Amino acid sequence: MTLIDTHFLGRILVLDISEKIAAVNAQLRDLRAGVTVGQIAGKLHLRGTLPPKPHSKATRPHQQRIYLRLPANPAGLRTAMKEARLVGGQLATREFDWGRYINVKALKPGNCGEWIEKFEHWYLNAKGGAITTWKGDYLKGFQGLAPGAELTPATMEAAILKTKPNTKSRVRACMAVGALAKFAEVDFDAKPLKGNYSPAKVQPRNLPTDAAIAQCRDTITKPEWRWVYGMMACYGLRNHEVFRLDLTEFPIVYVEQNTKTGAREVWPCYPEWAERWSLVERQLPGIKLDRTNEVLGRSVTNYLSPKLPFAPYDLRHCWAVRTLEYGWPDSLSAQQMGHSLAVHSRTYQRWIDKRHHQRVYDLLLKREDRPMPP
């Protein structure tokens, strides 16, 4: 089997569990269970209109999730199906009990510090979030919340307003505090405070050509840094992610959980680079891996930047644009890059210039099955 064959086989396997979930949800709709199955970060959950949690300020049933801690695989899905039917029956007879799924005693009201602690436990365990995202985004977003203060709309608004308007810090605070409000079921909407900051307003880069990327790799003399460069170019990885990889299913690489946006699988683009550059033979610089992702990423920037006519992070941007030229669906490209489809479209569609349009046009003209003029 060639690298390209493996690429498409892996893509089919990724889509397979989503198709199975869709089939299960179709059965649940036929049964009028009132509950559906979903997945987040490789874990299954149920979603439906459920009674308020104990100690909640809500008074009526509303859309909520039940986190099952089941893996998103066929065995986990079979168990989730049984659980969904059970919950549906309990809802119909008004016998649903949150005590089956959560520690009710832990939901008593508390101050900001206590709620953040509960939220952290949920985020890292039930949701399966990454510790680096928790430290890098959520904790930084909570900096304006005094631990001993009561968690109220007023304290949340005051915490957000401590950040500078129309900045990334303001956006982060709104995201983090808004998520905490939803978790604690406090009636607070952070969106109006977000401002008009957007990564899309950053000046677009003059991205290098693929030929230039390949040529620059040959100028890096140390094999271990040449390998780091090759992985970033071939897989569109963030700087620190090169140090957090599982290569057992190469040429597909598995980005480990303890990264900025958590675990995911990534396919090579181009697969020929993965083979030609022998990227399966891991060669890491002599850097202690127990360092934070931020420190690891900075070490990559510090070493490669002086040796390149472009920023190392441009390799990630080029991967994104290259997948568009390949014709990959945006949703798959976004998932492999570790961000949402909205972020992908807003950020990377802007990097496409006349050169990229011409390349896609030339490829389409060469297709034997293209429409011909009468």
Side-chain angles (χ1 to χ4, degrees):
M1 183 177 294
T2 66
L3 287 174
I4 295 177
D5 291 335
T6 305
H7 165 82
F8 287 107
L9 176 60
R11 179 169 165 180
I12 291 172
L13 292 175
V14 168
L15 295 176
D16 186 54
I17 190 63
S18 297
E19 293 172 354
K20 283 182 168 59
I21 291 175
V24 164
N25 285 333
Q27 295 180 50
L28 292 173
R29 283 193 294 271
D30 292 341
L31 294 172
R32 298 183 178 179
V35 181
T36 58
V37 178
Q39 64 167 323
I40 297 176
K43 299 291 184 180
L44 296 175
H45 65 264
L46 304 182
R47 184 175 177 85
T49 301
L50 306 173
K53 293 184 180 71
H55 305 295
S56 169
K57 295 182 179 181
T59 58
R60 296 180 179 181
H62 56 281
Q63 282 287 309
Q64 299 178 78
R65 291 190 177 100
I66 300 174
Y67 295 93
L68 302 177
R69 299 182 178 86
L70 294 171
N73 59 31
L77 190 54
R78 286 192 292 271
T79 303
M81 173 68 168
K82 294 178 182 178
E83 202 68 29
R85 296 177 66 175
L86 174 63
V87 171
Q90 292 175 339
L91 292 173
T93 58
R94 298 185 178 182
E95 296 177 342
F96 178 79
D97 181 12
W98 274 109
R100 178 180 171 86
Y101 304 103
I102 60 177
N103 184 355
V104 174
K105 294 181 180 180
L107 291 177
K108 62 183 179 180
N111 56 36
C112 293
E114 292 168 340
W115 272 116
I116 291 174
E117 185 177 348
K118 294 187 183 82
F119 183 63
E120 178 183 11
H121 178 77
W122 169 83
Y123 178 81
L124 296 178
N125 294 279
K127 182 176 173 60
I131 183 66
T132 51
T133 303
W134 173 258
K135 292 180 178 179
D137 291 326
Y138 285 95
L139 280 185
K140 289 181 179 179
F142 294 147
Q143 286 180 351
L145 291 172
E150 183 182 358
L151 188 66
T152 65
T155 56
M156 291 181 167
E157 181 177 1
I160 292 174
L161 293 178
K162 290 178 182 178
T163 61
K164 187 177 180 179
N166 304 320
T167 62
K168 184 177 181 180
S169 297
R170 171 64 63 88
V171 173
R172 180 192 289 126
C174 287
M175 180 279 296
V177 174
L180 181 64
K182 184 177 180 180
F183 174 78
E185 297 188 349
V186 176
D187 187 14
F188 175 71
D189 183 8
K191 293 179 181 178
L193 303 175
K194 184 178 178 181
N196 59 11
Y197 170 83
S198 170
K201 294 186 177 182
V202 178
Q203 184 67 25
R205 302 167 189 254
N206 184 18
L207 298 180
T209 65
D210 290 344
I213 291 174
Q215 291 170 1
C216 286
R217 175 188 172 275
D218 295 335
T219 66
I220 301 173
T221 56
K222 292 188 177 182
E224 62 272 26
W225 284 106
R226 196 160 56 241
W227 183 84
V228 167
Y229 177 96
M231 292 300 295
M232 293 174 63
C234 193
Y235 291 92
L237 302 173
R238 298 181 178 93
N239 294 17
H240 72 273
E241 290 173 344
V242 180
F243 299 88
R244 315 284 196 206
L245 297 177
D246 183 339
L247 305 182
T248 55
E249 295 187 30
F250 189 87
I252 302 170
V253 300
Y254 179 81
V255 179
E256 296 174 351
Q257 181 68 34
N258 57 338
T259 51
K260 180 178 180 180
T261 50
R264 68 183 193 277
E265 293 170 315
V266 189
W267 277 254
C269 187
Y270 305 98
E272 293 82 1
W273 278 357
E275 187 171 18
R276 185 186 311 157
W277 296 344
S278 300
L279 296 181
V280 68
E281 300 174 8
R282 188 197 307 266
Q283 300 184 67
L284 286 175
I287 298 174
K288 294 182 179 179
L289 300 184
D290 59 354
R291 296 181 179 182
T292 66
N293 292 333
E294 185 177 358
V295 173
L296 288 174
R298 195 181 307 124
S299 67
V300 173
T301 300
N302 291 342
Y303 184 85
L304 290 180
S305 290
K307 296 172 175 57
L308 302 175
F310 50 85
Y313 209 81
D314 283 346
L315 297 172
R316 178 170 165 84
H317 297 314
C318 289
W319 187 93
V321 173
R322 195 178 304 125
T323 62
L324 295 173
E325 296 175 351
Y326 256 53
W328 291 11
D330 287 355
S331 57
L332 292 183
S333 298
Q335 186 177 21
Q336 292 185 44
M337 295 194 77
H339 53 221
S340 69
L341 178 58
V343 169
H344 187 81
S345 299
R346 183 173 65 245
T347 303
Y348 291 105
Q349 290 284 350
R350 298 180 302 114
W351 304 113
I352 302 176
D353 59 18
K354 181 179 179 181
R355 167 168 56 92
H356 301 115
H357 283 286
Q358 186 65 50
R359 182 173 180 181
V360 173
Y361 180 75
D362 292 340
L363 290 172
L364 292 176
L365 287 182
K366 293 177 181 178
R367 284 178 47 180
E368 295 181 358
D369 61 341
R370 77 173 178 88
M372 300 301 292

